Amino acid sequence: AEFRSIGWSAIALELRADVSLADYSGIRADVLAPADTTLHLGVRFVILAGPSWHWLETKEPILLEPGKWLVVAAPLEADAWRGPEYSDAVDERQWVAQLREVHKIIVRVESYPGRASDDTADVAAISIDNIWFPERDGL
């Protein structure tokens, strides 16, 4: 993937599946950033859910460590997610209903600004493996 050195940029792995996640406690994935990257990289999960394909993403990114496989995890609890506008809170009453109708699951790797003052590109070979969903007995 090619990331810009200034400004926000991202790549995404999208899984198209009409599934229910209501019986699961979270989402996990194994992610590796290359050891030689100078980028500040983080991971967010995104789901498109409900009859209107509502966009929901995790509030906080999980930061990657260059050269290390990291299990990134997010609980499937309403307070860990936000809507398409950064201030959007997820409605607790609608959360479980939305989890019963998930259309897409996205693992998004983001590059954050601050590394350089010029707008150069940096290429990073990101590896994503083992996306899974722990059952309700724990994350």
Side-chain angles (χ1 to χ4, degrees), residues 15 17 30 32 35 48 54 62 64 78 83 85 87 95 104 118 131:
L15 306 169
D30 297 332
L32 172 68
L48 278 69
H54 190 72
I62 298 118
L64 296 178
E85 300 299 325
S87 61
W95 178 247
K104 272 190 183 181
D118 60 339
I131 300 167

Side-chain angles (χ1 to χ4, degrees), residues 4 6 15 17 21-23 28 30-32 46 48 52 54 58 61 64 75 79 82 86 106 128-130 132 135:
R4 305 307 301 175
I6 60 173
L15 306 169
L21 297 180
D23 293 331
R28 291 183 177 187
D30 297 332
V31 182
L32 172 68
V46 178
L48 278 69
S52 63
H54 190 72
T58 49
L64 296 178
D79 61 355
R82 65 184 182 195
Y86 294 127
I106 301 168
I128 300 172
D129 199 7
N130 301 322
W132 75 101
E135 293 188 25

Side-chain angles (χ1 to χ4, degrees), residues 31-51:
V31 182
L32 172 68
D36 60 349
T37 188
T38 58
L39 298 168
H40 302 284
L41 300 172
V43 176
R44 284 185 205 268
F45 293 99
V46 178
I47 58 175
L48 278 69

Side-chain angles (χ1 to χ4, degrees), residues 46-123:
V46 178
I47 58 175
L48 278 69
S52 63
W53 290 52
H54 190 72
W55 178 279
L56 301 162
E57 67 180 28
T58 49
K59 288 180 181 176
E60 299 297 328
I62 298 118
L63 298 180
L64 296 178
E65 295 181 47
K68 295 184 180 179
W69 278 100
L70 183 64
V71 177
V72 295
L76 287 173
E77 302 295 334
D79 61 355
W81 296 74
R82 65 184 182 195
E85 300 299 325
Y86 294 127
S87 61
D88 284 358
V90 175
D91 186 333
E92 288 272 350
R93 296 168 296 174
Q94 295 178 4
W95 178 247
V96 173
Q98 290 174 332
L99 287 181
R100 288 192 177 110
E101 191 178 348
V102 173
H103 307 289
K104 272 190 183 181
I105 301 161
I106 301 168
V107 181
R108 186 174 72 204
V109 180
E110 305 172 338
S111 173
Y112 305 105
R115 182 182 64 86
S117 60
D118 60 339
D119 189 17
T120 58
D122 197 347
V123 176

